[in-house]
Every structure is written in structure tokens, then in C-alpha cells.
Amino acid sequence: MKQASIPLEEYMGSGHLACQGCGATQAMRFALKALGPQTALVIPACCWAVIDGSFPHSCVQQPIYHTAFETAAVVASGLKAGLEMRGDSETTVMAWAGDGGTFDIGLQALSGAAERNEDIIYVCYDNEAYMNTGIQRSSSTPYGAWTTTTPVTNYKRRPKKNMIDIMAAHEIPYIATASTAYPHDIIRKMAKAKEIRGTKYIQIFAPCPTGWKLAPELSVKMARLGVTSKVYPMLEITENGQKLEVWKDFEPSSVREYMKPQGRFRHLTDEELDGIEREVEANWQRLLAKEKMLGSIPGLA
Amino acid sequence: MVEKVEFKTYREMPIRPMTVTDMLWNRTGSWRNVRPYYDFKTSPCKAGCPTGENIQRYIYLVTENDYEQAWKTIIDSNPMPAVTGRVCFHPCMSNCTRGEFDEPVNINAIERSLGDKGIENPGWMKRSKPSKKEKVAVVGSGPAGLSCAFYLARQGYPVTLFEMEKALGGILRWGIPEYRLPNDILDKVVGAIVDSGPITVKTGVKVGSDIGLAEIDKEYDAVFLGLGLTRSREIGVDNEDCDGVHPGLEFLKKVNSGEKVDPGKKVAVIGGGNTAMDVARSALRCGSDVTVFYRRTIAEMPAIREEIEEAEKEGVKFYFLSTPKEIVAKKGKLSSVIFQKMELGEPDDSGRRRPVPVEGDTFEMGFDSLFPAIGEQADIDGFSGHLETEWNLISSKGEYGETSNDKIFAGGDIVTGAASVVEAIAAGRKSAERIGRFLSKEEEPVDTPDTVVGIDDMNTAYFSKVDQNRVPRIPASEIRGTFREIKTGYTAQLLHSEADRCFSCGVCNYCDNCWMFCPDTAIKRNKDDYEIDLDYCKGCLVCVEECPRSALSTREEGR
């Protein structure tokens, strides 16, 4: 047998409580493989607060601090400070929150931690709604999506919040998006984040078959098509928000191919899909323009 | 690791709210209603190969640097990869899934590289001892006969191999020019086969005249006839026996045996098959100016496409829709040929459009030599009465070469009419297996249908487009006056680069996708395979969907 293409060590075991085909679970498995055993996790209310298992059991070998919804970033900051006080500067502290706990409820704590440039990795596994509590809309839910609080007749008519730009405005050393379809990329980005001092924000695109009304086996495929259809661009922002790199080296696919298998978009008419396609392309062009603009400012790399 | 934790009262609970054990008590396998399982299927290349070479397997072994096992994998179904790697019409490549993605994997060139490595390492060939007492006669030492003798000897049967010529090889030796298959390569391949087991060679013996078939039938416990087609077909016009007109196969035989031949300045070749191409390109190498005349168009030519293209590149001229009407001889020597122009009419039995003469449209051209190469016939006059024949070919009842005589089997061109080297090899092997079962009175195996995968079964998101690695060759400008092999073969680097292009359709090649993407960590990565832990597999089927090569299947639980 050939050498394994990703680290063999497993820190996330079986028996957890995630749904079939859960993207957030894959994301955790890859992240832990990259960060290794000397890592402490802070998890606020979110799917992962449940997936992990019921007290006193945990499917994850690294210690987890379960905390309140709005406090992931600040608890992680405190945990890191406590470890430093005791002379431990080696342990990586990772806050691991869903999009509700990041885009909405935990935003102030995250903003505070980022502004202070606390030495933590903050990961948002983005499944685009409050999945754990029953699929309610979050500010990460994309335009056009069904949720239980934006039912079909009244689907979400506001765009997804641009969290990356918000984080970039904090001028932190490392920001990246990733997707569960690209494990090697997640592992590379997590390993890179581990080596950087300061606040690292990584947003992992993690499909939720249950909340997206999607066949579980298509979980990875959606994570891939989301990227190749340019709906969810893969990017890295370094040098305190001054350098943007967008991944472009892929075979492009259509937005419709991405949306069609997902029940949460089933009600959209052809006209509405056309509109979404135009918006995706416009966002993509804006992103590329921004990448070019940042790269052409004299004195900046 | 699995530890059940129970607290009877709150006092037993740990003082600090800390995890004490894992979640393995929670057997999530009970959530599942569909189960994934590893289910390796047949790759289309293997399905397309007449002799059923396990192509996926040996290409995988090449990527693992295990040339010896790769070579042995081929030898299990074809004893001469150094030959087929040079002359095969490679239907595997027309079937290759990659052909629908970018370009097929150059299986033929990979096979040749492995065949050559087998020649460099004679120790790889296992020597079999005579373990059975029943004797088998194999008549003809072309691809069918050699293959049959090899697989009989492998089973331990003492084989006597009869060949009417002085050297072994049949059509491989006399019909295929050296620039495609060098004699020294053929000598080594034939030598290795003969040395591999209890094979006794009798050359210069023609069965049917020097020794009767009835005699052989009596002396041996089983007989295999792999005589091939040895008689050239005649055009059927006047003066065909004049000086300067020779059957194409005869010319090839002279050239291949190293005789100095001068076909003259202007040469005409009649026919559109592989023999015609071989004759034309050989004459070109003797320094002649060669024109091929074919009665249909290039689209109907039965020759391997690559051979036609190469002949054109080397400078062979083609006249289509022309057939010789009259040979003009002066003093018993060829002077010119009058050709009849043809046009295509209704399709015939073969599905190709029948050529019909265009009344009054003829032309005349002068030649020093004319080589008809319009097909060969069997020479089985000596067998009449002993075996059923049809259209001057031996009739076979089954797929293993059974004939009207229980003890006699036949395979290759003598049964099928003009076909290919690889089909003859396959026929020889199948007959050898059948003869083994016949002699040991074994039951016929039950055929299990293969599930062949195609491009639609693949998850092509994991493949990127890469051009086929071309085989290095000597330039067309350097071919005159030499029979040096045209293709020089892959370098080690090209071999690996090409092997890496294989999709490994239907068979796991340890890409790790299933193991990597399992959200439940329920796939174990063992030393040689993967294993699904059904105690925890929730049946999400991400592994099945993300397998690039359809090596997993699903089954509903409880069925």
C-alpha cells in the first residue's frame, strides 16, 4: 500500500452523534490531524456541542471546553492566556464554532479577540444555518435558501454576510476559507495557522445534508461544486489583511449543478437562478479585482 | 477502548466535569439502512483484451515499481508481452475509459516495456516440471501454438511442438518485418517459452504430409492445431506466374530470414491488410518506390490504422478504388499492370461497401515487381476426412477450440480466418485450459458475468487532463535501407508517467478517498486494504460517491 496522503493519526473516533454525511465532522477530523495532540478546543453551542458526545464521553481525544453561544473567541483567549501564565506556550487553542455562533451571536467576542490579536485559531465550520436547533436562518444563509424560519414562500432574500471582509478589516495575520472537499488544503491551512502568532480565522465550507435537504452521499460533492461554481471561493488573506490570494486553478462548473441536488434551493425559478448566477459571477469578479488591487499597491507585496 | 460508564448516584459522578472515555459505546451502525462494501469490478481494458490480460493490475504494479510481479501478471494470460507490446492492435486502448476523458493510456507501450524487462530478467520465468503422464501434440509454432504449448507445459503436460519450418515463430517470424518485431527479440521470447517447461520441439516436420494427423492422433492423448494461414491467395488474372510477381508473404519471408532481396525500382503492392502494409514498408526499406493498390477506400482498409499512417509518413503511395485487371508480361517478365477503377456499391456481408468496376475506366502503370497481399488461406488438404472443415478452415464447436474429434482442438487463424496475434494467443491459452480439463476429466467452470465499469461510473473530479506519452521512434527519414526497429520504447521515466495516467477503473488503487472522507472514522486503513467497521458506519455512502473508480458498491440492509 502506498504512503497515506494525509496524516494517519486519528484524534476523532467513531460513535459520535453527527448526522449521516456530516461535513462539520469531516472538517474536525482533518483539522485535528493537522494540529496534533497538543491542542485545546473551545466549543460554544453548535452542532459540535452535540456531535462530540454526552458527558462524560467525547469522541475527540483533545480536551474540549464547552461554553456559551456568544463566548467562543473570548473563552479561547482566556484559555490561551491561562496556559501562557502557567508557562505553556506550546498548546494550540482552537475555538470551533458554527456559522450562527460566528456570524451572529459570537461576532462581538470574535471581533474583540481579533482586535486584540489574541493568539488563537478561530474556526467557523460554515453550514449556512442554525442546524443544531432545527435549521433556522443565520446571517450566513445564502440568498434564496429555504430554512424553517425562511419557509418556501418567504425564502431568504438577503445575501450571505461577507464575514471574510469583516475579519480582514481587523488586520489579523491569517484568514482563509477551506472546503471539506479538499482535505489536503484544510490540513495545509490548519498547519500554517498553527505556526502563526496572533488571531487566525479559518472558515470551512461544511455541507449539512440534513439542513440542506441533500442526499448524504453528496456531501463532499457539494463541498466541491460550491468551490468550482465560484459560490464559495477558496482564498487566503495574509500580511495583516494586505495580501489576498484566490484559488483559481480548477475546472469551473455551473451554479445550477451545485444548487440542483439541494432541497433548500428547489423552489427557485429559472429567473431566480439566473439572478443568483449573475450575483455569483459579480462577487467572483469583485474578489479577483480586489486581489489585483491589493497586489498592485506600491510598497505592498 | 470501549468502556461503559455508569453512575448509580450523583456522588459517583466525577467532581470535575471532565471526559472520562470515548464514544465507542455508541454503535452508530444501527442507524444504517444501506451498507457500502468493497466490490472490485472489471476494467474495460481487460474486458476488451481478447486474452483478458489483467491490465489494471500490472499498470498498478508498475506504479509500485514491482516490475517482476507486473510481468508475471501478464504471463498469466499472455506468454509473450514483448511481442504483443509491439504488434498488437490493442483493442484495450480503444476501450480505455481515459479515451473518453482525454487520451487512452498507452497500454501497448507499457506492455512492451514490461515484456522487454522480462527478456532482460530470464529468471522471472517459472520453470514447470512434467507432472502429468498424458502427452499433448501442438501443431504449428505461431502465436496460437506457442501459447497453447506454454500453458499446457505450465500445467505439467509434456508437449511436443511440431513446426514445418526450420525455426519457430510462424507468422511472427515470417510475416512480421523486423522493423516492427526484431528477430533477436522473437528468438528470446520463443526460447523462453520453449525452456519454460516440458516442451519438445520438432522442426521441419509438416503434419498432414511428413506425418499424418491420424498418426499423431493415435500417439498423443490430445492434439492442438494452430497452423495459421500459410498459402497466399491469388489475384486470379493472367500472367500471375510471370517473373516479377511474387506473393507478398513470400517476399516478407525472404526479407525476414535475412536474405538480400532487390524488388526493383518500382513496386506495386495489392491489398489493404496488415500484410500489405508490411510488404509495402519492407519494400520501401529495400530501396524501392512503393505504391499500394486497394480496391476500396482508406476507410475500409482492414490494416491497423497506425500502420497505414506510418506507411504514408514513410513515403508509401496509395491508390484507392483500383484493382489489377491484367498483368502485362514481356518475355515472361512483368512489365506493367492494367488497373480497373472501382466505385463503392451496396454493403456486403462484412458491412463494408462492395467495390464494383467502373465500366471502361482503366489505367496502366509500369512496375518491376508486383506483390499481391490480398489474404492468406489455410493449407489443410492433408486433414480431410479426419476433421470437419468449412470454407477451408477447421470448424470449431465451442469457445475452447473443440473440433469434431474429441481429442483434437484447434485455434487461431486456422479456425477464425485471418485475425490477430492476440486472438491467436487467447485461443491457444483457452484450448490449453480446456485440454487440461479434458485430460483430467475436470468439470467445466461456471462463467460468472463481469461487471465492466465505464466513464459514467467514475468520479472524474479526481482526474486532470494529461496527454498520452508518445513512444520515442526513429525519424521517418532514417528508415530507408535499414530494418532497425522504429519504436525505441519508453524510458523508465516515460513508463512511470504513462502508468500514472491509468484510472484503475473498477479496482482500488489505495487513493485513500474512502478512508479520508468517512465522517464516522469507520474505515480502517490496513496494510493491504481498507475495511469498513459496520459497528459504526452510518451508511452515508460518501465513500461510494467519492471513490474515483467505482470500487465500492451498496446493498440495502436486511435484504
Side-chain angles (χ1 to χ4, degrees), chain A residues 97-271:
Chain A
D99 49 283
T102 305
F103 286 57
D104 303 342
I105 299 175
L107 185 56
Q108 52 80 18
L110 173 58
S111 177
E115 189 275 329
R116 295 190 302 275
N117 201 20
E118 298 284 354
D119 188 16
I120 57 169
I121 300 177
Y122 189 102
V123 176
C124 167
Y125 61 95
D126 184 6
N127 50 28
E128 305 191 323
Y130 290 84
M131 296 309 183
N132 181 38
T133 48
I135 322 167
Q136 290 85 9
R137 126 204 234 286
S138 79
S139 54
S140 169
T141 304
Y143 179 93
W146 160 95
T147 65
T148 53
T149 49
T150 52
V152 168
T153 48
N154 214 346
Y155 65 78
K156 187 175 171 186
R157 286 190 169 83
R158 287 289 300 157
K160 182 187 177 98
K161 186 190 275 181
N162 191 340
M163 192 63 195
I164 295 299
D165 273 6
I166 294 175
M167 292 315 293
H170 287 79
E171 299 185 6
I172 54 175
Y174 187 63
I175 297 167
T177 57
S179 156
T180 54
Y182 304 99
H184 303 91
D185 186 55
I186 294 185
I187 289 170
R188 179 182 68 80
K189 285 169 177 166
M190 294 304 299
K192 188 168 173 181
K194 189 183 170 182
E195 300 306 318
I196 297 172
R197 293 275 155 191
T199 305
K200 287 80 65 176
Y201 177 76
I202 299 178
Q203 188 174 305
I204 305 178
F205 185 44
C208 169
T210 309
W212 292 10
K213 296 188 177 178
L214 174 75
E217 68 265 28
L218 298 180
S219 174
V220 174
K221 187 175 183 182
M222 287 308 114
R224 180 168 55 242
L225 292 180
V227 174
T228 55
S229 64
K230 303 170 186 168
V231 168
Y232 211 107
M234 294 290 101
L235 54 84
E236 280 181 286
I237 301 175
T238 49
E239 296 172 20
N240 299 324
Q242 303 307 309
K243 188 180 178 192
L244 168 64
E245 284 170 281
V246 182
W247 184 52
K248 298 175 278 286
D249 183 23
F250 53 82
E251 194 79 21
S253 59
S254 77
V255 173
R256 277 179 160 80
E257 197 189 344
Y258 163 68
M259 292 194 145
K260 219 176 157 206
Q262 301 181 37
R264 62 172 175 160
F265 295 121
R266 192 170 296 143
H267 52 274
L268 296 175
T269 61
D270 261 346
E271 273 172 14

Side-chain angles (χ1 to χ4, degrees), chain B residues 306-526:
Chain B
E306 196 186 338
E307 298 291 319
I308 303 170
E309 283 162 17
E310 282 183 357
E312 249 181 337
K313 226 184 279 169
E314 290 171 2
V316 173
K317 290 185 286 270
F318 286 87
Y319 271 72
F320 296 107
L321 295 166
S322 329
T323 193
K325 188 171 189 247
E326 206 184 316
I327 293 172
V328 182
K330 278 186 185 146
K331 295 177 194 160
K333 187 168 173 1
L334 169 73
S335 82
S336 67
V337 184
I338 299 170
F339 290 94
Q340 168 72 54
K341 280 299 278 182
M342 312 292 272
E343 61 185 357
L344 292 180
E346 293 301 306
D348 64 8
D349 294 344
S350 71
R352 297 181 299 173
R353 289 174 68 190
R354 192 193 303 272
V356 286
V358 182
E359 214 49 59
D361 192 353
T362 60
F363 61 100
E364 185 172 356
M365 287 170 93
F367 289 105
D368 299 308
S369 279
L370 175 74
F371 296 124
I374 55 164
E376 292 81 37
Q377 283 171 315
D379 182 4
I380 52 170
D381 303 344
F383 299 165
S384 56
H386 208 87
L387 275 182
E388 255 176 48
T389 58
E390 198 180 352
W391 299 104
N392 198 33
L393 295 170
I394 298 175
S395 336
S396 169
K397 297 183 289 188
E399 54 173 319
Y400 297 108
E402 300 96 328
T403 66
S404 56
N405 181 324
D406 280 352
K407 273 175 66 181
I408 301 180
F409 298 80
D413 283 2
I414 195 78
V415 171
T416 56
S420 65
V421 169
V422 68
E423 283 161 295
I425 291 171
R429 196 193 76 234
K430 282 180 187 166
S431 282
E433 288 163 2
R434 178 70 182 83
I435 290 169
R437 292 194 291 271
F438 166 73
L439 293 176
S440 61
K441 302 192 171 51
E442 247 175 73
E443 297 251 330
E444 287 298 301
V446 186
D447 254 358
T448 43
D450 293 336
T451 313
V452 182
V453 297
I455 187 86
D456 295 338
D457 303 308
M458 312 291 279
N459 188 341
T460 51
Y462 292 98
F463 305 123
S464 44
K465 295 195 165 34
V466 184
D467 285 344
Q468 190 188 83
N469 291 289
R470 307 284 170 221
V471 181
R473 56 183 67 215
I474 59 171
S477 55
E478 285 175 25
I479 57 113
R480 277 175 199 258
T482 167
F483 279 79
R484 193 147 65 91
E485 189 172 15
I486 300 173
K487 295 184 185 172
T488 51
Y490 274 160
T491 58
Q493 191 250 328
L494 285 173
L495 171 64
H496 278 266
S497 162
E498 192 59 18
D500 284 340
R501 293 182 70 241
C502 178
F503 282 174
S504 186
C505 308
V507 185
C508 177
N509 70 351
Y510 316 112
C511 74
D512 281 346
N513 269 11
C514 54
W515 166 71
M516 194 159 68
F517 283 119
C518 178
D520 296 297
T521 327
I523 295 183
K524 244 172 53 197
R525 191 179 191 276
N526 295 331

Side-chain angles (χ1 to χ4, degrees), chain A residues 1-2 4-6 12 14-18 20-21 25-26 29-30 52-53 56-58 180 216-217 220 224, chain B residues 19-23 25-26 31 64 461-462 512 515-521 525-527 538 540 545-546:
Chain A
M1 198 142 159
K2 290 174 184 163
S5 53
I6 63 169
M12 188 196 85
S14 305
H16 58 69
L17 303 174
Q20 294 168 323
T25 313
Q26 292 167 324
R29 190 168 160 227
F30 303 142
D52 176 47
H57 308 275
S58 168
T180 54
E217 68 265 28
V220 174
R224 180 168 55 242
Chain B
T19 303
V20 292
T21 185
D22 53 39
M23 284 293 287
W25 59 271
N26 187 26
W31 302 13
E64 292 282 274
Y462 292 98
D512 281 346
W515 166 71
M516 194 159 68
F517 283 119
C518 178
D520 296 297
T521 327
R525 191 179 191 276
N526 295 331
K527 196 168 153 283
K538 290 172 185 163
C540 70
E545 184 67 28
E546 294 310 313

